[in-house]
Amino acid sequence: MSVKGKIAILTVNILICIASILLTYFFMSSWGVIIRAAFYAVSGVGIVVSLITFFWNKLAILKSAFVLLIVAIIVLVAFVVISEVGHLNDYENDEDKINGLVKIISDTGAWGMAVYVLIQILQVVILPLPAVVCYVPGSIIWGAPMATFLASIGVVIGSTIAYFIGRIWGKKAVIWIAGKEATEKYSAYFGKRGKGIFVIMQILPFFPDDILCMVAGLTSMNFVFFIVVMCFVRPAIISVYCFLGSGDIIPFSGWGIYVWVAIFVVCIVLAILSFKYQDKFESWLISKFTRKKKGESQTAIQSQEIELPPTYAANNDISEQKADETAEQEPPPQINLKE
């Protein structure tokens, strides 16, 4: 992408963040400090991340920030509209407003659940949304068990679509969606010890699950293994988010507010550290899974043919040729035998 294109994305990102700040200031005044602070924080982080990725030339992250900011401002506008239409501003505190919002969504019944599943599919295939944004609202509305079930259905379907994007349309399609650098990097990882490292990357929160599923479709990983991992590993991870986000374990009031603020700060710090040291962490992780067994190195060395540089080989041939010519010209040495 040209410099003008990068500047355009950066400009749009900053304008979206400014618009979010203004919307929060003028239309969310009836909400509490925590809710408004969350929207302000998203806008602030969006500006910082956009600037850092622009100057560090991390185009893929800059594009992802653009998508996330679009989603954030859509959520904010939805908050504003529902607050006006559903008369949420008439409630005295945030807890009553959130309960009113939950009731409005839960009253949609099966349609609301279908939309929730669709969001999970899109967040795997198209939208790089954080897990908290995708899973926690469902656990608040329908409860942790139902949210885990619905989110797992959406994630498994979305992961299957991502897998067959790589399997059917090939590397060009994956590069167009995920970028050349990420596609080639993870393809190389899976080519070494594919199955083990794939499972580990699905468990850890530092890796892009959607890209990993697409790249898996490019490799020799069979679909049976892939779908088994998706059906057992991903629901386990989703359940952790849903049960923690339901408010039953850590409440959204009293002492729970301070815990959630601490968790939010820790997540921000981990995101920054993973952004800064992800390459080193990936290299270390790959080295653990690609470490050769005892005796493999010696066998590999013995089986390799030693190749000499062309200049050395040429000079060596000339030296041998001169030595042969000298040996032909010089008479053989005389040997004196004692009588």
Side-chain angles (χ1 to χ4, degrees), residues 327-338:
E328 292 177 358
Q329 294 176 359
E330 293 180 356
Q334 297 180 356
I335 302 176
N336 296 325
L337 300 175
K338 292 183 179 181

Side-chain angles (χ1 to χ4, degrees), residues 211-283:
I211 296 177
L212 297 179
C213 293
M214 293 180 189
V215 173
L218 297 176
T219 65
S220 59
M221 185 182 300
N222 61 73
F223 179 70
V224 174
F225 174 83
F226 174 83
I227 199 65
V228 167
V229 172
M230 291 299 105
C231 290
F232 284 93
V233 175
R234 296 301 294 276
I237 304 300
I238 293 170
S239 66
V240 173
Y241 284 104
C242 290
F243 279 91
L244 283 177
S246 63
D248 296 332
I249 299 175
I250 304 176
F252 296 108
S253 60
W255 61 270
I257 295 177
Y258 301 100
V259 176
W260 281 113
V261 171
I263 291 174
F264 180 78
V265 172
V266 170
C267 290
I268 293 296
V269 172
L270 290 177
I272 295 173
L273 291 177
S274 64
F275 171 74
K276 185 176 182 180
Y277 298 105
Q278 183 172 2
D279 292 338
K280 293 182 180 180
F281 178 75
E282 287 178 356
S283 300

Side-chain angles (χ1 to χ4, degrees), residues 13 49 53 58-66 275 278:
N13 286 4
V49 170
T53 53
K58 299 289 185 178
L59 183 58
I61 301 178
L62 184 63
K63 290 180 178 178
S64 298
F66 168 75
F275 171 74
Q278 183 172 2

